[in-house]
């Protein structure tokens, strides 16, 4: 008996954990479907025995936990529990996975309280380490040594880095338009890397095919339910960091929709446990050139449009987790908002110059979304907010070069004279 | 009355804190000298009233402190104390400076216990945040709004980022050979950046001249004694992390010699307090093409040779803090070791692929030094060691490209066939 089971997001069918995990099933056996240029159908959610959780940990017990080490309270995760510890997995593994322990930067913008949640200082410098860590722990638990994923960047470098830390092998299927710095990082960690002469969609499908054939554990985002569950850890960490008093709204950059789904899932679990009264309003920011969720929430219909934005990490024509992301926004009385690429770059500059936080464009989109939400009157100035910063600008120097000044070497004399003229 | 004073490393003259700080004095007023292509003379050290420290904090009290927040025990730092808190400085400032709270990655190499100390996940992704933070706090204390530094990269991006976080202005004088990614980062944070048509030495001297003229606080490494004192925080953090039981040796990459001096200073303070019995052996790693300390320890003489190595962060023909670094090595029964650039690149690859840590070449030098030290029999296999990882490989993609494979996009068919052939 395990303390959790799997439930289909779409058809509500329920499955015991063993059936799903032992057979390496990912999507719902009843209705699951992965089709090109289409959101996934039958994404599985993990449901817990809340009595079991409460027998093992209390609200105040959880609030006393350390951030960035979700495995220290295993009852909230789809992992085997052995006398309060995970089986098979040693402390030395966890030591290598510790996320940033205080991602909260208290800040304000034009007098409004808006904190930043900095995920750029995780082990491989992005939010994706949350999902990779949980998937990797599960792989060790299952005795699987090889994990594969399709990725446009951060998820891939995260999986590669986490696998390298734990002595697992990673296989990355990446599209040819992957930003070079992220490809470098993936290859640096020693992942077996397959650069597909095609787009992310092709890489995604090829990865599913190869994973099945070669028995690799698959970490494709949304497809593997543990990617959602791993990202849920951010919500739990926020609960701990805010001592249970959550902000009014959280701005989340949305591409495939898995981060926002994971955060929603975490708060939903807390709500179900009766440990919070309300989930913060989730504001989904998308680039205007990649706004499938914005359009879906307006029209209640998905229509594929190829995506194009400078914010590569949220560039997704067919968000794999569209339906769950949509629910996350609606159920929390949030809203979606589309921002222009030029406003993302301005936000990136302001993040760096006014707050000392170097964000990649997708991460800076959260700030652009805040500003537009305020301008449009969608965000009340009395609310308290949190902006999610999902990846570092160090991985995207091309975007930074678009707004820093040109600079050429000058003689000492010229420098001295330039200062006199000020 | 303050609980600390300044003492010249070379001539032993002592000065009250007020005399040095209120007059913005940096080098020893008696013997201090900054000359081109020469190590600094008259670097000042900060000495504490150990009774005062012991009245305010005990050994076990210090061991109970959190890592990465040195300001939480002000007695060990050259800062004003006001009822146990710093004056003038608010909690919200400190919140923006928190360093990585668990930099220790327990590891081993060929069966030997060698932990890694990961400083790449600090606020601006390098060790230099330790020095920049202390200097910036001091600037706020003194009511100074502008801080200047000469830098080849990490110190500059650190100062720029920390200043941006705290609402201070930074002025960076950088040489024309600065790696582009680090220049981007400096400019991204909004530093006023002066690119000198010259080398680091020229930038260093120009920065001194301009700082004096325009009344900027100067953060040139070693020149400002707080750079050494800030870096000392790593030693205190190690003491806390290891619960007082320090490893036998610590491998430190050495350029200007300020990091190793700071670590030595921290352990010396602990030794003087009677809180440790022995300082770990400090092993100074240099690139063969920039080995002034190696040569100085062999010959007891400094001779300038222009430096050249792929590890830009430890490239220094005239290490500013040569004499203090030399003492750190000698007094701890350590040794200096020079490693080849190609071995640094191999170490960088192994760090990433075997341990999932992306280090820049200067940081990877510590691993190369360990390997060479073992090969030469200078390091005993029964010793326990610590490798300092000072900066992230994300800031130096050129070095990574030297050892990852070339990769070109392939069709799905070709990828499938390539897998069959394995």
């Amino acid at each position: 008996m395990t303390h959790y089971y799997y439930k289909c997001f779409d058809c509500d069918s329920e499955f015991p954990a063993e059936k799903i995990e032992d057979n390496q099933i990912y999507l719902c056996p009843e209705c699951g479907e992965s089709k090109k240029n289409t959101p996934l159908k039958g994404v599985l959610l993990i449901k817990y025995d809340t009595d079991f959780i409460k027998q093992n940990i209390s609200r105040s017990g959880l609030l006393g936990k350390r951030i960035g080490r979700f495995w220290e309270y295993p009852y909230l995760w789809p992992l085997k529990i052995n006398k309060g510890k995970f089986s098979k997995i040693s402390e030395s593994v966890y030591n290598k996975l510790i996320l940033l322990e205080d991602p909260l930067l208290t800040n304000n913008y034009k007098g409004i309280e808006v904190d930043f949640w900095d995920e750029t200082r995780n082990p491989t410098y992005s939010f994706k380490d949350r999902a990779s860590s949980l998937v990797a722990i599960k792989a060790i638990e299952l005795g699987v040594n090889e994990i594969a994923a399709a990725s446009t960047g951060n998820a891939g470098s995260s999986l590669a880095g986490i696998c390298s830390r734990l002595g697992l092998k990673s296989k990355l299927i990446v599209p040819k338009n992957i930003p070079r710095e992220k490809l470098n990082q993936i290859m640096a960690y020693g992942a077996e890397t397959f650069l597909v002469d095609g787009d992310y969609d092709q890489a995604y499908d090829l990865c599913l095919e190869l994973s099945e054939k070669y028995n690799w554990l698959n970490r494709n985002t949304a497809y593997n339910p543990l990617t959602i569950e791993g990202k849920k850890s951010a919500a739990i960490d926020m609960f701990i960091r805010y001592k249970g008093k959550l902000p009014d709204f959280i701005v989340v950059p949305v591409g495939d929709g898995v981060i926002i789904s994971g955060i929603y899932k975490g708060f939903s679990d807390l709500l179900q446990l009766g440990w919070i009264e309300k989930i913060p309003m989730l504001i989904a920011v998308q680039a205007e050139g990649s706004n499938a969720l914005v359009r879906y929430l307006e029209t209640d219909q998905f229509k594929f449009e190829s995506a194009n934005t400078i914010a590569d990490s949220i560039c997704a024509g067919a968000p794999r987790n569209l339906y769950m992301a949509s629910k996350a926004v609606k159920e929390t009385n949030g809203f979606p908002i589309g921002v222009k690429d030029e406003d993302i770059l301005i936000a990136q500059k302001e993040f760096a110059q006014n707050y000392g936080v170097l964000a990649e464009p997708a991460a800076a989109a959260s700030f652009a979304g805040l500003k537009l939400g305020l301008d449009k009157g969608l965000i009340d100035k009395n609310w308290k907010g949190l902006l999610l910063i999902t990846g570092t600008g160090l991985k995207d120097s091309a975007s930074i070069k678009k707004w820093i000044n040109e600079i050429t070497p000058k003689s000492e004399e010229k420098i001295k004279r330039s200062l006199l003229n000020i």
Side-chain angles (χ1 to χ4, degrees), chain A residues 112-352:
Chain A
I112 309 159
E113 271 185 79
V114 217
D115 297 338
F116 304 159
W117 189 265
D118 180 7
E119 296 272 339
T120 72
R121 293 165 55 196
N122 283 332
T124 75
Y125 315 99
S126 87
F127 190 98
K128 303 298 171 79
D129 286 338
R130 295 182 177 276
S132 301
S133 298
L134 185 63
V135 172
I137 294 171
K138 175 58 74 181
I140 295 175
E141 210 182 66
L142 293 171
V144 177
N145 194 37
E146 293 170 312
I147 311 179
S151 168
T152 57
N154 282 329
S157 51
S158 170
L159 180 63
I162 296 296
C163 282
S164 164
R165 285 182 178 227
L166 303 189
L168 301 168
K169 288 189 177 141
S170 59
K171 319 274 182 178
L172 268 301
I173 324 289
V174 299
K176 68 175 168 187
N177 68 342
I178 183 172
R180 183 69 216 198
E181 282 150 306
K182 291 174 179 173
L183 178 60
N184 285 348
Q185 195 189 3
I186 288 171
M187 296 181 70
Y189 289 132
E192 194 175 353
T193 311
F194 304 96
L195 187 62
V196 184
D197 191 10
D199 61 9
Y200 176 60
D201 259 312
Q202 279 171 275
Y204 198 96
D205 290 341
L206 180 60
C207 184
L208 298 187
E209 190 183 334
L210 296 176
S211 299
E212 200 178 333
K213 181 163 184 183
Y214 293 101
N215 217 21
W216 304 332
L217 190 70
N218 187 290
R219 184 226 177 275
N220 275 14
T221 198
Y223 184 77
N224 184 328
L226 268 61
T227 56
I228 301 165
E229 206 65 15
K231 290 172 182 180
K232 157 182 127 175
S233 64
I236 310 295
D237 279 349
M238 288 171 192
F239 173 71
I240 296 171
R241 184 60 180 82
Y242 278 113
K243 301 189 168 85
K245 290 177 200 81
L246 293 167
D248 299 302
F249 66 91
I250 300 174
V251 187
V252 185
V254 174
D256 268 322
V258 181
I259 293 179
I260 199 166
S261 298
I263 288 174
Y264 177 64
K265 173 64 162 58
F267 290 133
S268 299
D269 285 359
L270 292 173
L271 195 66
Q272 205 174 347
L273 286 160
W275 294 351
I276 59 172
E277 285 174 7
K278 200 183 152 209
I279 299 180
M281 180 185 282
L282 296 180
I283 299 174
V285 183
Q286 296 207 293
E288 281 193 350
S290 172
N291 65 348
L293 177 63
V294 174
R295 287 182 283 113
Y296 180 74
L297 281 161
E298 271 168 14
T299 61
D300 214 27
Q301 273 200 327
F302 169 73
K303 196 169 150 277
F304 177 76
E305 282 180 18
S306 62
N308 181 29
T309 166
I310 191 168
D312 58 277
S313 298
I314 51 169
C315 188
R320 303 289 151 170
N321 218 21
L322 179 71
Y323 308 121
M324 208 181 281
S326 154
K327 185 178 174 186
V329 172
K330 282 194 288 192
E331 296 279 313
T332 61
N333 296 310
F335 57 86
I337 192 161
V339 292
K340 291 185 201 306
D341 273 9
E342 52 260 46
D343 291 330
I344 290 176
L345 290 174
I346 291 169
Q348 187 187 33
K349 180 177 176 176
E350 290 177 345
F351 253 154

Side-chain angles (χ1 to χ4, degrees), chain A residues 55-71:
Chain A
Q55 280 157 24
N56 282 285
I57 191 167
S58 65
R59 182 179 191 273
S60 63
L62 179 56
L63 286 174
K65 291 290 178 189
R66 291 186 291 183
I67 291 174
R69 303 163 186 248
F70 60 81
W71 47 86

Side-chain angles (χ1 to χ4, degrees), chain A residues 400-417:
Chain A
I400 290 168
K401 278 189 202 147
K402 288 186 192 293
W403 51 263
I404 58 175
N405 293 329
E406 279 295 309
I407 190 165
T408 48
K410 277 185 192 159
S411 69
E412 292 186 24
E413 275 318 305
K414 273 202 179 155
I415 289 172
K416 286 182 200 171
R417 251 184 289 134

